[in-house]
PDB file of all heavy atoms in Angstrom:
ATOM      1  N   VAL A 126       8.324  11.980   4.195  1.00 97.00           N
ATOM      2  CA  VAL A 126       6.963  11.444   4.257  1.00 97.00           C
ATOM      3  C   VAL A 126       6.014  12.454   4.890  1.00 97.00           C
ATOM      4  O   VAL A 126       4.886  12.647   4.419  1.00 97.00           O
ATOM      5  CB  VAL A 126       6.939  10.087   5.002  1.00 97.00           C
ATOM      6  CG1 VAL A 126       5.514   9.647   5.303  1.00 97.00           C
ATOM      7  CG2 VAL A 126       7.668   9.029   4.179  1.00 97.00           C
ATOM      8  N   ALA A 127       6.459  13.135   5.938  1.00 97.00           N
ATOM      9  CA  ALA A 127       5.620  14.163   6.573  1.00 97.00           C
ATOM     10  C   ALA A 127       5.285  15.267   5.579  1.00 97.00           C
ATOM     11  O   ALA A 127       4.124  15.698   5.478  1.00 97.00           O
ATOM     12  CB  ALA A 127       6.325  14.732   7.798  1.00 97.00           C
ATOM     13  N   ALA A 128       6.285  15.716   4.825  1.00 97.00           N
ATOM     14  CA  ALA A 128       6.050  16.767   3.831  1.00 97.00           C
ATOM     15  C   ALA A 128       5.091  16.275   2.750  1.00 97.00           C
ATOM     16  O   ALA A 128       4.181  17.009   2.333  1.00 97.00           O
ATOM     17  CB  ALA A 128       7.381  17.210   3.217  1.00 97.00           C
ATOM     18  N   ALA A 129       5.273  15.050   2.297  1.00 97.00           N
ATOM     19  CA  ALA A 129       4.413  14.496   1.243  1.00 97.00           C
ATOM     20  C   ALA A 129       2.984  14.307   1.737  1.00 97.00           C
ATOM     21  O   ALA A 129       2.027  14.593   1.011  1.00 97.00           O
ATOM     22  CB  ALA A 129       4.981  13.175   0.738  1.00 97.00           C
ATOM     23  N   ALA A 130       2.830  13.834   2.963  1.00 96.00           N
ATOM     24  CA  ALA A 130       1.486  13.628   3.518  1.00 96.00           C
ATOM     25  C   ALA A 130       0.726  14.961   3.597  1.00 96.00           C
ATOM     26  O   ALA A 130      -0.487  15.000   3.383  1.00 96.00           O
ATOM     27  CB  ALA A 130       1.568  12.972   4.891  1.00 96.00           C
ATOM     28  N   ALA A 131       1.447  16.034   3.862  1.00 96.00           N
ATOM     29  CA  ALA A 131       0.805  17.349   3.977  1.00 96.00           C
ATOM     30  C   ALA A 131       0.255  17.858   2.645  1.00 96.00           C
ATOM     31  O   ALA A 131      -0.675  18.668   2.633  1.00 96.00           O
ATOM     32  CB  ALA A 131       1.799  18.361   4.553  1.00 96.00           C
ATOM     33  N   VAL A 132       0.800  17.368   1.517  1.00 96.00           N
ATOM     34  CA  VAL A 132       0.381  17.897   0.212  1.00 96.00           C
ATOM     35  C   VAL A 132      -0.128  16.828  -0.749  1.00 96.00           C
ATOM     36  O   VAL A 132      -0.347  17.114  -1.932  1.00 96.00           O
ATOM     37  CB  VAL A 132       1.532  18.696  -0.455  1.00 96.00           C
ATOM     38  CG1 VAL A 132       1.918  19.903   0.392  1.00 96.00           C
ATOM     39  CG2 VAL A 132       2.718  17.811  -0.750  1.00 96.00           C
ATOM     40  N   VAL A 133      -0.337  15.609  -0.272  1.00 95.00           N
ATOM     41  CA  VAL A 133      -0.708  14.522  -1.180  1.00 95.00           C
ATOM     42  C   VAL A 133      -2.018  14.792  -1.916  1.00 95.00           C
ATOM     43  O   VAL A 133      -2.145  14.483  -3.100  1.00 95.00           O
ATOM     44  CB  VAL A 133      -0.730  13.152  -0.458  1.00 95.00           C
ATOM     45  CG1 VAL A 133      -1.850  13.081   0.583  1.00 95.00           C
ATOM     46  CG2 VAL A 133      -0.853  12.009  -1.467  1.00 95.00           C
ATOM     47  N   GLU A 134      -2.988  15.390  -1.266  1.00 94.00           N
ATOM     48  CA  GLU A 134      -4.269  15.678  -1.930  1.00 94.00           C
ATOM     49  C   GLU A 134      -4.063  16.682  -3.062  1.00 94.00           C
ATOM     50  O   GLU A 134      -4.675  16.546  -4.131  1.00 94.00           O
ATOM     51  CB  GLU A 134      -5.306  16.196  -0.937  1.00 94.00           C
ATOM     52  CG  GLU A 134      -5.660  15.227   0.174  1.00 94.00           C
ATOM     53  CD  GLU A 134      -6.334  13.946  -0.293  1.00 94.00           C
ATOM     54  OE1 GLU A 134      -6.833  13.882  -1.438  1.00 94.00           O
ATOM     55  OE2 GLU A 134      -6.355  12.992   0.498  1.00 94.00           O
TER      56      GLU A 134
END
Side-chain angles (χ1 to χ4, degrees):
V126 169
V132 298
V133 67
E134 299 296 343

